[in-house]
Amino acid sequence: MVAEVTQITEQEAELYDRQIRLWGLDAQKRLRAARVCVLGMSGLGCEVSKNLVLSGVKELKMVDSKLVSTEDATSQFLAPRDKVGENRAEASLQRLQQLNPMVNVTADSDNSKDKQADFFKMFDIVVATNCVKDELVRINSICRAEKILFYAGDVFGFFGFSFMDLISHEYVEEEKVQTNEDGGEEEPAAKKMKTMELETKSVRKAMTFVSLAETLKVDWSSELYAKRIRRMDPSFFLLQVLFTFQSETGHTPRPADREADLAKLKKIRDETLTKLSVPTTKIADEMLGLLFAELSPVCAIVGGVLGQEVIKAISNKDAPHNNYFFYNPLESCGVVETIGY
């Protein structure tokens, strides 16, 4: 868990003045003690890293074995265009560090698949992007065993998601409570003036989470979950289709091979939803056509939500999302789903 630093320097207090006014000195102290690892430096990884470095965490390490490509121009804003062919994490280092010199920013060019428990134990928070399902499940399992806060996310065209597993999380939430104030006690009871006032109180609460693997084991044919299917947003089931697509093809939907990949997506959609006991009409063909490339506006939305959730968890302020956030491209809105309980 995140340790708390004993003090903040005058220089830090000046730099983070606006944030301290927003969420308080104690929350900023916790942020200044937080060590974060971000896996994958595509557009979403850039957004999350940018948001966390600006918030003032202690340390942020980028891990990515991929090289900067021309396709990164659609959303990757930290690696300069003249760095094509160089490692994506290392190419992003200079610009990210310039955003906040007080944060210790480092780059690692290894593949996340080569990282074991000893590596992840060095951090308080792990944010995994650009990872396939099996890799996300593996890292989540390590984080749960080591009591590390785990986040996952990715963007596919106009669709994006994030997932969080905080294991067991305590937080403080402000609630407004009505209080009665009577008039003067010398007056008869029937004539007392009663006024209603709202008083803000800080209430300590707790929340438990399940692992990513548990959410993927849900039996949608059971009575409990079958009732939810009709009123649920299709995004969770779309994510299952994309996980299977990545597993079978080894890549995300490609704009250059749109027709072939779209046909493959439709086939996997029908097979996956049938296997899950979900009507194949739950995911429209129109939705499948919006899953190509990684678009910067969607990265900004999902990365903003993901960064916000990390900050909330570190600061122990306000209720976190439990446990999925989806950006639905057809409705142009965000949806929070709780799955696996």
Side-chain angles (χ1 to χ4, degrees):
M1 302 302 291
V2 180
E4 184 172 322
V5 294
T6 55
Q7 60 183 1
I8 284 183
T9 65
E10 291 185 9
Q11 187 180 5
E12 289 172 334
E14 183 178 353
L15 178 63
Y16 303 124
D17 177 69
R18 184 178 178 184
Q19 295 171 192
I20 293 172
R21 293 173 187 270
L22 178 64
W23 51 54
L25 182 59
D26 289 341
Q28 191 62 45
K29 285 181 178 179
R30 292 182 63 82
L31 279 166
R32 290 298 296 136
R35 302 163 300 168
V36 183
C37 176
V38 177
L39 306 175
M41 286 306 294
S42 64
L44 180 59
C46 286
E47 289 287 352
V48 174
S49 298
K50 176 257 296 179
N51 293 335
L52 295 181
V53 165
L54 288 174
S55 74
V57 296
K58 176 182 180 181
E59 173 187 343
L60 187 140
K61 180 179 286 291
M62 302 174 285
V63 179
D64 197 335
S65 62
K66 293 183 179 179
L67 306 180
V68 179
S69 65
T70 54
E71 288 78 11
D72 284 322
T74 61
S75 58
Q76 220 284 11
F77 56 85
L78 290 176
R81 299 284 76 86
D82 61 357
K83 297 290 186 179
V84 172
E86 298 184 21
N87 178 265
R88 202 157 57 176
E90 294 173 348
S92 303
L93 181 59
Q94 183 178 0
R95 286 183 175 178
L96 186 60
Q97 183 66 81
Q98 288 175 345
L99 292 176
N100 191 346
M102 292 189 182
V103 177
N104 180 23
V105 181
T106 56
D108 188 326
S109 60
D110 290 345
N111 193 310
S112 65
K113 293 181 180 179
D114 299 327
K115 301 298 187 183
Q116 304 303 320
D118 287 344
F119 172 79
F120 293 111
K121 284 165 63 175
M122 296 189 295
F123 305 98
D124 304 300
I125 301 100
V126 172
V127 182
T129 71
N130 305 144
C131 295
V132 297
K133 179 183 73 174
D134 291 344
E135 180 66 358
L136 291 176
V137 170
R138 182 186 76 88
I139 297 171
N140 186 193
S141 177
I142 292 173
C143 290
R144 282 186 73 85
E146 301 296 339
K147 301 294 188 293
I148 301 167
L149 308 186
F150 173 80
Y151 296 80
D154 220 330
V155 169
F156 307 87
F158 288 91
F159 170 75
F161 88 97
S162 67
F163 168 83
M164 58 192 299
D165 177 11
L166 308 185
I167 311 169
S168 180
H169 181 64
E170 292 185 355
Y171 61 97
V172 174
E173 194 170 39
E174 291 187 348
E175 293 184 353
K176 291 187 176 181
V177 182
Q178 286 188 336
T179 57
N180 292 336
E181 284 197 1
D182 294 340
E185 298 204 0
E186 296 180 359
E187 297 180 1
K191 293 185 178 181
K192 284 184 178 179
M193 297 291 294
K194 292 187 177 181
T195 60
M196 303 296 291
E197 288 191 356
L198 290 177
E199 181 181 347
T200 301
K201 292 186 177 181
S202 295
V203 181
R204 184 171 293 277
K205 298 182 178 181
M207 189 178 291
T208 57
F209 291 75
V210 297
S211 68
L212 179 64
E214 287 298 317
T215 69
L216 301 176
K217 292 178 183 176
V218 168
D219 181 5
W220 292 96
S221 64
S222 66
E223 183 179 356
L224 176 63
Y225 279 97
K227 294 178 180 178
R228 289 183 58 180
I229 294 176
R230 180 176 297 181
R231 65 176 186 270
M232 269 184 67
D233 187 271
S235 296
F236 175 78
F237 305 110
L238 180 60
L239 180 60
Q240 310 315 303
V241 173
L242 285 163
F243 277 156
T244 304
F245 180 90
Q246 287 180 291
S247 177
E248 292 188 5
T249 65
H251 56 75
T252 58
R254 302 162 298 179
D257 298 282
R258 181 180 176 83
E259 290 188 11
D261 284 358
L262 186 56
K264 181 72 172 177
L265 281 167
K266 291 178 180 178
K267 179 175 180 292
I268 292 175
R269 184 251 335 250
D270 294 344
E271 293 172 351
T272 301
L273 295 190
T274 300
K275 185 178 179 181
L276 292 173
S277 301
V278 176
T280 56
T281 54
K282 187 67 177 177
I283 300 175
D285 288 353
E286 181 184 3
M287 207 170 195
L288 296 178
L290 299 173
L291 304 176
F292 294 81
E294 187 183 46
L295 304 180
S296 57
V298 184
C299 291
I301 294 169
V302 179
V305 171
L306 195 45
Q308 170 188 278
E309 289 302 308
V310 172
I311 292 171
K312 282 162 59 177
I314 295 173
S315 63
N316 289 345
K317 281 187 171 289
D318 299 323
H321 288 167
N322 192 352
N323 43 5
Y324 281 95
F325 169 83
F326 298 104
Y327 180 72
N328 184 317
L330 292 181
E331 303 296 332
S332 296
C333 68
V335 180
V336 177
E337 296 279 10
T338 301
I339 296 171
Y341 294 84

